[in-house]
Amino acid sequence: MTAEASGPRDLLRVELAVVLLLSLGQSAVYSLLRIWERMTREVPLSQQTTTLNTATTPDRPLLDAAYQVANILFPLMPVVLCLYLLAAVRPPEEGPFRVMGFDLRRMGSDLAKGAAIFAGIGVLGLALYLFSLAIGINTQINTSGLQFTVWNVVVLVLRAVMNGVLEEVVMIGYLFTRWAQSGRPMWVVLVLSAVIRGAYHAYQGWGGFIGNLVMGLVFGWLFLTWLKRRVMPLVVTHSLLDIFAFLGAPLLPWLMSLIGR
């Protein structure tokens, strides 16, 4: 390989490393440190609790609302960075949104495919979580540490959509698109993306790591095959998974009370 040919590829490696270390790769490192800390406690992993979506200042609602908005907006900045970097290397007629299928051109098809994937992977994910908890390799997950109010329901839905956009655009849309431009085998980025996805969920326990590793492999394979490199159905799937997870716990007692009347 000539110096001219290797130069752009070296820059691409640097770009991918920087983007990942500024976003979900950084989360993966901290998540692994978190599971290390959990594994070295005297309390068994299955008796520990991981609480998601906690309030920052629960005694000051207005300030907490400002924190919640900030916690939704700032994690989306890596998505903006990825779209900007793709815009710099793609022809104007393709654009960063079109090249990864992150647009509304096929809204009906994207919603249908996303819902179909959700129906399949949601049941498997719940079964794996319960199995992991039963054999002691996962923490108990409290999906919402927020009080059940109209505002917090809105926050949870927006956070679920934010997670879907962040993870699927960065780990699938951007990463797979830029990797394809390097000319390297796509199975490498498929495995790499899945491992990183599993790693930044490892704070929940080894069940969270394994479940999200498998989900990453499935999502990557679907993106390359059935979805024809459209990331929007995966954004829909991920958003639905998190919406049901975040709202399921607080809504269940309320639904049961309605049924009991």
Side-chain angles (χ1 to χ4, degrees):
M1 183 183 294
T2 65
E4 290 79 3
S6 63
R9 291 194 176 187
D10 290 339
L11 289 175
L12 178 55
R13 291 194 198 101
V14 172
E15 177 189 313
L16 291 172
V18 170
V19 169
L20 289 174
L21 290 173
L22 285 175
S23 57
L24 294 166
Q26 179 185 146
S27 298
V29 172
Y30 281 111
S31 182
L32 291 171
L33 293 174
R34 180 64 170 159
I35 192 60
W36 182 3
E37 184 272 330
R38 286 185 178 279
M39 293 291 293
T40 52
R41 293 182 189 178
E42 294 183 0
V43 180
L45 197 61
S46 60
Q47 295 180 20
Q48 300 178 35
T49 300
T50 299
T51 302
L52 310 178
N53 305 306
T54 57
T56 304
T57 56
D59 57 329
R60 303 173 68 183
L62 187 59
L63 178 59
D64 190 69
Y67 270 112
Q68 299 295 347
V69 171
N71 289 336
I72 291 169
L73 291 178
F74 283 112
L76 289 174
M77 291 304 102
V79 174
V80 176
L81 175 61
C82 289
L83 294 172
Y84 170 80
L85 291 170
L86 283 176
V89 298
R90 302 299 301 184
E93 62 272 14
E94 293 185 4
F97 295 93
R98 184 179 292 266
V99 73
M100 70 169 72
F102 183 52
D103 53 38
L104 302 178
R105 288 180 300 138
R106 304 176 188 173
M107 185 182 302
S109 174
D110 290 341
L111 288 173
K113 290 179 178 179
I117 300 169
F118 161 75
I121 208 164
V123 174
L124 293 176
L126 179 59
L128 179 60
Y129 164 70
L130 294 174
F131 176 73
S132 301
L133 195 61
I135 64 174
I137 63 171
N138 212 77
T139 62
Q140 301 179 47
I141 307 297
N142 176 13
T143 56
S144 177
L146 300 175
Q147 294 182 349
F148 185 53
T149 65
V150 173
W151 166 249
N152 285 336
V153 168
V154 173
V155 165
L156 291 172
V157 170
L158 291 177
R159 188 166 292 175
V161 174
M162 180 271 290
N163 287 342
V165 172
L166 171 63
E167 295 188 38
E168 304 316 324
V169 169
V170 174
M171 297 308 302
I172 299 291
Y174 164 79
L175 192 57
F176 280 53
T177 301
R178 288 297 275 147
W179 191 274
Q181 293 167 358
S182 73
R184 296 192 182 118
M186 292 304 294
W187 69 265
V188 177
V189 74
L190 175 65
V191 174
L192 174 65
S193 174
V195 170
I196 295 174
R197 186 189 293 262
Y200 62 72
H201 287 94
Y203 68 92
Q204 300 173 4
W206 296 114
F209 172 81
I210 295 169
N212 282 278
L213 170 66
V214 172
M215 189 172 83
L217 292 172
V218 172
F219 276 19
W221 177 78
L222 289 172
F223 177 75
L224 294 173
T225 56
W226 185 47
L227 300 178
K228 302 186 187 314
R229 298 180 185 264
R230 281 193 63 78
V231 78
M232 187 59 82
L234 298 177
V235 173
V236 172
T237 299
H238 196 135
S239 299
L240 289 174
L241 287 170
D242 281 6
I243 287 171
F244 274 76
F246 294 169
L247 295 182
L251 279 178
L252 187 57
W254 177 70
L255 291 174
M256 293 302 292
S257 66
L258 289 179
I259 294 173
R261 290 179 182 177

PDB file of all heavy atoms in Angstrom, residues 55-70 149 151-152 155:
ATOM      1  N   ALA A  55     -33.878  11.287  39.140  1.00  0.00           N
ATOM      2  CA  ALA A  55     -33.977  12.743  39.266  1.00  0.00           C
ATOM      3  C   ALA A  55     -32.662  13.291  39.804  1.00  0.00           C
ATOM      4  O   ALA A  55     -31.999  12.655  40.627  1.00  0.00           O
ATOM      5  CB  ALA A  55     -35.117  13.110  40.193  1.00  0.00           C
ATOM      6  N   THR A  56     -32.271  14.461  39.343  1.00  0.00           N
ATOM      7  CA  THR A  56     -31.035  15.095  39.807  1.00  0.00           C
ATOM      8  C   THR A  56     -31.291  15.918  41.060  1.00  0.00           C
ATOM      9  O   THR A  56     -30.532  15.846  42.022  1.00  0.00           O
ATOM     10  CB  THR A  56     -30.439  15.988  38.698  1.00  0.00           C
ATOM     11  OG1 THR A  56     -30.231  15.204  37.520  1.00  0.00           O
ATOM     12  CG2 THR A  56     -29.097  16.573  39.150  1.00  0.00           C
ATOM     13  N   THR A  57     -32.362  16.707  41.045  1.00  0.00           N
ATOM     14  CA  THR A  57     -32.745  17.513  42.217  1.00  0.00           C
ATOM     15  C   THR A  57     -34.236  17.291  42.483  1.00  0.00           C
ATOM     16  O   THR A  57     -35.066  18.141  42.140  1.00  0.00           O
ATOM     17  CB  THR A  57     -32.463  19.011  41.969  1.00  0.00           C
ATOM     18  OG1 THR A  57     -33.146  19.424  40.770  1.00  0.00           O
ATOM     19  CG2 THR A  57     -30.971  19.270  41.811  1.00  0.00           C
ATOM     20  N   PRO A  58     -34.606  16.152  43.063  1.00  0.00           N
ATOM     21  CA  PRO A  58     -36.028  15.820  43.226  1.00  0.00           C
ATOM     22  C   PRO A  58     -36.799  16.804  44.092  1.00  0.00           C
ATOM     23  O   PRO A  58     -38.017  16.916  43.947  1.00  0.00           O
ATOM     24  CB  PRO A  58     -35.982  14.429  43.881  1.00  0.00           C
ATOM     25  CG  PRO A  58     -34.621  14.323  44.486  1.00  0.00           C
ATOM     26  CD  PRO A  58     -33.715  15.118  43.610  1.00  0.00           C
ATOM     27  N   ASP A  59     -36.112  17.532  44.973  1.00  0.00           N
ATOM     28  CA  ASP A  59     -36.798  18.486  45.837  1.00  0.00           C
ATOM     29  C   ASP A  59     -36.991  19.847  45.165  1.00  0.00           C
ATOM     30  O   ASP A  59     -37.618  20.737  45.739  1.00  0.00           O
ATOM     31  CB  ASP A  59     -36.008  18.663  47.140  1.00  0.00           C
ATOM     32  CG  ASP A  59     -34.575  19.108  46.886  1.00  0.00           C
ATOM     33  OD1 ASP A  59     -34.006  18.732  45.832  1.00  0.00           O
ATOM     34  OD2 ASP A  59     -34.016  19.833  47.744  1.00  0.00           O
ATOM     35  N   ARG A  60     -36.459  20.017  43.948  1.00  0.00           N
ATOM     36  CA  ARG A  60     -36.587  21.283  43.218  1.00  0.00           C
ATOM     37  C   ARG A  60     -37.042  20.959  41.793  1.00  0.00           C
ATOM     38  O   ARG A  60     -36.221  20.836  40.874  1.00  0.00           O
ATOM     39  CB  ARG A  60     -35.260  22.044  43.221  1.00  0.00           C
ATOM     40  CG  ARG A  60     -34.752  22.322  44.637  1.00  0.00           C
ATOM     41  CD  ARG A  60     -33.360  22.920  44.642  1.00  0.00           C
ATOM     42  NE  ARG A  60     -33.353  24.258  44.080  1.00  0.00           N
ATOM     43  CZ  ARG A  60     -32.232  24.984  43.907  1.00  0.00           C
ATOM     44  NH1 ARG A  60     -31.048  24.472  44.254  1.00  0.00           N
ATOM     45  NH2 ARG A  60     -32.306  26.188  43.393  1.00  0.00           N
ATOM     46  N   PRO A  61     -38.350  20.808  41.582  1.00  0.00           N
ATOM     47  CA  PRO A  61     -38.883  20.296  40.309  1.00  0.00           C
ATOM     48  C   PRO A  61     -38.471  21.099  39.080  1.00  0.00           C
ATOM     49  O   PRO A  61     -38.169  20.517  38.037  1.00  0.00           O
ATOM     50  CB  PRO A  61     -40.403  20.347  40.518  1.00  0.00           C
ATOM     51  CG  PRO A  61     -40.581  20.299  42.000  1.00  0.00           C
ATOM     52  CD  PRO A  61     -39.407  21.029  42.578  1.00  0.00           C
ATOM     53  N   LEU A  62     -38.486  22.445  39.192  1.00  0.00           N
ATOM     54  CA  LEU A  62     -38.158  23.253  38.024  1.00  0.00           C
ATOM     55  C   LEU A  62     -36.701  23.060  37.615  1.00  0.00           C
ATOM     56  O   LEU A  62     -36.385  22.906  36.427  1.00  0.00           O
ATOM     57  CB  LEU A  62     -38.440  24.728  38.310  1.00  0.00           C
ATOM     58  CG  LEU A  62     -38.290  25.682  37.117  1.00  0.00           C
ATOM     59  CD1 LEU A  62     -39.234  25.269  35.994  1.00  0.00           C
ATOM     60  CD2 LEU A  62     -38.558  27.123  37.539  1.00  0.00           C
ATOM     61  N   LEU A  63     -35.810  23.041  38.583  1.00  0.00           N
ATOM     62  CA  LEU A  63     -34.399  22.819  38.291  1.00  0.00           C
ATOM     63  C   LEU A  63     -34.177  21.413  37.742  1.00  0.00           C
ATOM     64  O   LEU A  63     -33.396  21.214  36.799  1.00  0.00           O
ATOM     65  CB  LEU A  63     -33.553  23.038  39.555  1.00  0.00           C
ATOM     66  CG  LEU A  63     -32.045  22.796  39.419  1.00  0.00           C
ATOM     67  CD1 LEU A  63     -31.437  23.702  38.357  1.00  0.00           C
ATOM     68  CD2 LEU A  63     -31.349  23.002  40.767  1.00  0.00           C
ATOM     69  N   ASP A  64     -34.885  20.450  38.318  1.00  0.00           N
ATOM     70  CA  ASP A  64     -34.742  19.075  37.841  1.00  0.00           C
ATOM     71  C   ASP A  64     -35.222  18.954  36.400  1.00  0.00           C
ATOM     72  O   ASP A  64     -34.623  18.217  35.596  1.00  0.00           O
ATOM     73  CB  ASP A  64     -35.530  18.125  38.738  1.00  0.00           C
ATOM     74  CG  ASP A  64     -35.225  16.675  38.424  1.00  0.00           C
ATOM     75  OD1 ASP A  64     -34.088  16.238  38.707  1.00  0.00           O
ATOM     76  OD2 ASP A  64     -36.099  15.980  37.870  1.00  0.00           O
ATOM     77  N   ALA A  65     -36.293  19.681  36.058  1.00  0.00           N
ATOM     78  CA  ALA A  65     -36.784  19.667  34.680  1.00  0.00           C
ATOM     79  C   ALA A  65     -35.721  20.200  33.725  1.00  0.00           C
ATOM     80  O   ALA A  65     -35.534  19.670  32.621  1.00  0.00           O
ATOM     81  CB  ALA A  65     -38.062  20.499  34.566  1.00  0.00           C
ATOM     82  N   ALA A  66     -34.996  21.258  34.156  1.00  0.00           N
ATOM     83  CA  ALA A  66     -33.920  21.802  33.329  1.00  0.00           C
ATOM     84  C   ALA A  66     -32.806  20.774  33.149  1.00  0.00           C
ATOM     85  O   ALA A  66     -32.247  20.620  32.053  1.00  0.00           O
ATOM     86  CB  ALA A  66     -33.370  23.079  33.960  1.00  0.00           C
ATOM     87  N   TYR A  67     -32.481  20.055  34.214  1.00  0.00           N
ATOM     88  CA  TYR A  67     -31.481  18.992  34.120  1.00  0.00           C
ATOM     89  C   TYR A  67     -31.940  17.908  33.145  1.00  0.00           C
ATOM     90  O   TYR A  67     -31.139  17.386  32.344  1.00  0.00           O
ATOM     91  CB  TYR A  67     -31.230  18.367  35.496  1.00  0.00           C
ATOM     92  CG  TYR A  67     -30.139  19.020  36.300  1.00  0.00           C
ATOM     93  CD1 TYR A  67     -30.429  19.738  37.464  1.00  0.00           C
ATOM     94  CD2 TYR A  67     -28.803  18.903  35.917  1.00  0.00           C
ATOM     95  CE1 TYR A  67     -29.423  20.333  38.214  1.00  0.00           C
ATOM     96  CE2 TYR A  67     -27.796  19.493  36.655  1.00  0.00           C
ATOM     97  CZ  TYR A  67     -28.104  20.200  37.808  1.00  0.00           C
ATOM     98  OH  TYR A  67     -27.105  20.786  38.552  1.00  0.00           O
ATOM     99  N   GLN A  68     -33.215  17.534  33.220  1.00  0.00           N
ATOM    100  CA  GLN A  68     -33.728  16.475  32.355  1.00  0.00           C
ATOM    101  C   GLN A  68     -33.622  16.871  30.877  1.00  0.00           C
ATOM    102  O   GLN A  68     -33.243  16.053  30.027  1.00  0.00           O
ATOM    103  CB  GLN A  68     -35.186  16.149  32.705  1.00  0.00           C
ATOM    104  CG  GLN A  68     -35.422  15.657  34.122  1.00  0.00           C
ATOM    105  CD  GLN A  68     -34.771  14.318  34.405  1.00  0.00           C
ATOM    106  OE1 GLN A  68     -34.325  13.624  33.500  1.00  0.00           O
ATOM    107  NE2 GLN A  68     -34.706  13.945  35.671  1.00  0.00           N
ATOM    108  N   VAL A  69     -33.954  18.124  30.582  1.00  0.00           N
ATOM    109  CA  VAL A  69     -33.847  18.610  29.203  1.00  0.00           C
ATOM    110  C   VAL A  69     -32.398  18.576  28.738  1.00  0.00           C
ATOM    111  O   VAL A  69     -32.082  18.140  27.623  1.00  0.00           O
ATOM    112  CB  VAL A  69     -34.430  20.031  29.076  1.00  0.00           C
ATOM    113  CG1 VAL A  69     -34.128  20.618  27.697  1.00  0.00           C
ATOM    114  CG2 VAL A  69     -35.933  20.020  29.334  1.00  0.00           C
ATOM    115  N   ALA A  70     -31.482  19.035  29.600  1.00  0.00           N
ATOM    116  CA  ALA A  70     -30.060  19.016  29.253  1.00  0.00           C
ATOM    117  C   ALA A  70     -29.573  17.589  29.031  1.00  0.00           C
ATOM    118  O   ALA A  70     -28.775  17.326  28.119  1.00  0.00           O
ATOM    119  CB  ALA A  70     -29.245  19.688  30.353  1.00  0.00           C
ATOM    120  N   THR A 149     -45.488  11.300  36.815  1.00  0.00           N
ATOM    121  CA  THR A 149     -46.226  12.524  36.510  1.00  0.00           C
ATOM    122  C   THR A 149     -46.268  12.686  34.991  1.00  0.00           C
ATOM    123  O   THR A 149     -45.523  12.027  34.263  1.00  0.00           O
ATOM    124  CB  THR A 149     -45.553  13.759  37.127  1.00  0.00           C
ATOM    125  OG1 THR A 149     -44.257  13.938  36.508  1.00  0.00           O
ATOM    126  CG2 THR A 149     -45.362  13.589  38.636  1.00  0.00           C
ATOM    127  N   TRP A 151     -45.254  15.196  33.222  1.00  0.00           N
ATOM    128  CA  TRP A 151     -43.972  15.711  32.742  1.00  0.00           C
ATOM    129  C   TRP A 151     -42.930  14.605  32.657  1.00  0.00           C
ATOM    130  O   TRP A 151     -42.196  14.493  31.665  1.00  0.00           O
ATOM    131  CB  TRP A 151     -43.471  16.832  33.648  1.00  0.00           C
ATOM    132  CG  TRP A 151     -42.018  17.170  33.412  1.00  0.00           C
ATOM    133  CD1 TRP A 151     -40.972  16.948  34.251  1.00  0.00           C
ATOM    134  CD2 TRP A 151     -41.460  17.767  32.241  1.00  0.00           C
ATOM    135  NE1 TRP A 151     -39.797  17.364  33.697  1.00  0.00           N
ATOM    136  CE2 TRP A 151     -40.064  17.882  32.445  1.00  0.00           C
ATOM    137  CE3 TRP A 151     -41.980  18.221  31.028  1.00  0.00           C
ATOM    138  CZ2 TRP A 151     -39.199  18.422  31.506  1.00  0.00           C
ATOM    139  CZ3 TRP A 151     -41.121  18.762  30.083  1.00  0.00           C
ATOM    140  CH2 TRP A 151     -39.748  18.858  30.328  1.00  0.00           C
ATOM    141  N   ASN A 152     -42.871  13.753  33.676  1.00  0.00           N
ATOM    142  CA  ASN A 152     -41.864  12.693  33.675  1.00  0.00           C
ATOM    143  C   ASN A 152     -42.152  11.636  32.622  1.00  0.00           C
ATOM    144  O   ASN A 152     -41.222  11.015  32.088  1.00  0.00           O
ATOM    145  CB  ASN A 152     -41.768  12.052  35.059  1.00  0.00           C
ATOM    146  CG  ASN A 152     -41.034  12.939  36.049  1.00  0.00           C
ATOM    147  OD1 ASN A 152     -40.236  13.785  35.663  1.00  0.00           O
ATOM    148  ND2 ASN A 152     -41.311  12.761  37.324  1.00  0.00           N
ATOM    149  N   VAL A 155     -40.690  13.112  29.602  1.00  0.00           N
ATOM    150  CA  VAL A 155     -39.229  12.999  29.698  1.00  0.00           C
ATOM    151  C   VAL A 155     -38.776  11.585  29.340  1.00  0.00           C
ATOM    152  O   VAL A 155     -37.814  11.390  28.588  1.00  0.00           O
ATOM    153  CB  VAL A 155     -38.746  13.377  31.115  1.00  0.00           C
ATOM    154  CG1 VAL A 155     -37.301  12.925  31.343  1.00  0.00           C
ATOM    155  CG2 VAL A 155     -38.862  14.883  31.322  1.00  0.00           C
TER     156      VAL A 155
END
